[in-house]
Amino acid sequence: MKPRSTSVIVAALAAMISANPARAGDLKQVAEISIPGDPIVDIGIMDIDQTTGLGYLADKTNKSVVVFDTKTDKFVSRIPGFVGLLKDGNVSGPNGVLVVKGGAEVWVSDGDSTIKVIDTKSGRITATVATGGTKRANGMALAEDIGVVIVANSNDAPPFLSLISTAPDHKILAKIPIPESGENLERSAYHAPSGMFYTAIPVLRADTAKGLLAQTDAKNGKLVKLHELRCYPHSLSIVSDSTIFLGCSSAHGPSPKPGGDMAIFDIAAGKVETSLAGYGGNGGSTVNRKLGQYYHSTSAGTLMVVDTKTKKGLQQIPTSNGARSLAVSLANNRVYVATTAKELACRGCIVVYAPE
């Protein structure tokens, strides 16, 4: 009887495996980039230079920007010169990271309301741009076609957006107060066909049951519209010329709770057309248009994968608490997720995922 029972179990397992095969293109972990220094307990944003393959991660614990190579999946160096992790997180940094001028520069927003400009050839900070606030400068986005960067001062009263020229004078082109924000200014993205920046604002001050999506004209520096949303957007990615995916977090508003949904915003209509339940949350996002995949990494420890064409969820991969920063290399289609030392034995590392 024992041999027969074993064979039945094996046959059943084989049937289960054949009924649920791994889908081509599913992400799996393929590497882990160790980062030397003090164990990283707080991180900012990550960006990758798609030309050189070098990645940049804001490391508040070590008061620096971590440089890593996506061609070898190895740590390269650190660039120091930032305020670091302070008791008041609203003045800590570095925060945002943005590759500018085709990789010649990396702009890094800091806790002292400045942007530090790094010359990537020398690996040194060569300029400091004051945004005029008293709290941290945070998320940024680049309008590469006109040489303009938007940066959010999310914790000033009121919070404000600044448009800054990438020319050598780094002129402040516009300052846009957002008194309608009831809680923070989050990530921004640039929609090149319309010349508009979009910025996620989690909570509307006048009605805490709603969030906002700010639309700003990159050329004239004017706030075009504050789109009211029935969710609390924390991150966003422009996944096509017509659509924005918003990572909405249920941790905001009058009845906070874990998790969240993904809202699908129609740019031409100026409204949310539908949502994808369970594929949002507090975190960051990015997109690989070549593969038609959107990635959202949550602070609660999940990497979400969504098909940008069908707008259906593909995967929810467990990561670790605090793993909210990520970027994708378009050269090798690998997704890089930064973790902290709060859970993983790697003391704060970058976990690498690739399509099967």
Side-chain angles (χ1 to χ4, degrees), residues 23 91 160 302:
R23 292 168 298 193
V91 294
F160 62 92
T302 305

mmCIF file of all heavy atoms in Angstrom, residues 23 91 160 302:
data_model
loop_
_atom_site.group_PDB
_atom_site.id
_atom_site.type_symbol
_atom_site.label_atom_id
_atom_site.label_comp_id
_atom_site.label_asym_id
_atom_site.label_seq_id
_atom_site.Cartn_x
_atom_site.Cartn_y
_atom_site.Cartn_z
ATOM 1 N N ARG A 23 4.230 31.321 -15.667
ATOM 2 C CA ARG A 23 3.981 32.073 -16.884
ATOM 3 C C ARG A 23 5.279 32.683 -17.399
ATOM 4 O O ARG A 23 6.090 33.176 -16.622
ATOM 5 C CB ARG A 23 2.969 33.181 -16.605
ATOM 6 C CG ARG A 23 1.582 32.693 -16.290
ATOM 7 C CD ARG A 23 0.731 33.815 -15.760
ATOM 8 N NE ARG A 23 1.289 34.354 -14.507
ATOM 9 C CZ ARG A 23 0.609 35.160 -13.706
ATOM 10 N NH1 ARG A 23 -0.603 35.542 -14.022
ATOM 11 N NH2 ARG A 23 1.167 35.614 -12.599
ATOM 12 N N VAL A 91 13.144 66.653 7.865
ATOM 13 C CA VAL A 91 14.347 67.392 7.469
ATOM 14 C C VAL A 91 15.505 66.435 7.179
ATOM 15 O O VAL A 91 16.665 66.838 7.119
ATOM 16 C CB VAL A 91 14.760 68.435 8.543
ATOM 17 C CG1 VAL A 91 13.717 69.523 8.654
ATOM 18 C CG2 VAL A 91 14.984 67.784 9.897
ATOM 19 N N PHE A 160 4.859 72.979 -1.500
ATOM 20 C CA PHE A 160 4.914 73.636 -2.807
ATOM 21 C C PHE A 160 5.731 72.829 -3.797
ATOM 22 O O PHE A 160 6.549 71.974 -3.426
ATOM 23 C CB PHE A 160 5.492 75.051 -2.675
ATOM 24 C CG PHE A 160 6.907 75.133 -2.171
ATOM 25 C CD1 PHE A 160 7.984 75.146 -3.045
ATOM 26 C CD2 PHE A 160 7.180 75.219 -0.804
ATOM 27 C CE1 PHE A 160 9.294 75.240 -2.591
ATOM 28 C CE2 PHE A 160 8.483 75.312 -0.328
ATOM 29 C CZ PHE A 160 9.540 75.320 -1.219
ATOM 30 N N THR A 302 5.500 44.120 -0.556
ATOM 31 C CA THR A 302 5.020 43.383 -1.731
ATOM 32 C C THR A 302 5.432 44.109 -3.002
ATOM 33 O O THR A 302 5.287 45.331 -3.103
ATOM 34 C CB THR A 302 3.484 43.240 -1.717
ATOM 35 O OG1 THR A 302 3.065 42.648 -0.489
ATOM 36 C CG2 THR A 302 3.013 42.359 -2.863
#
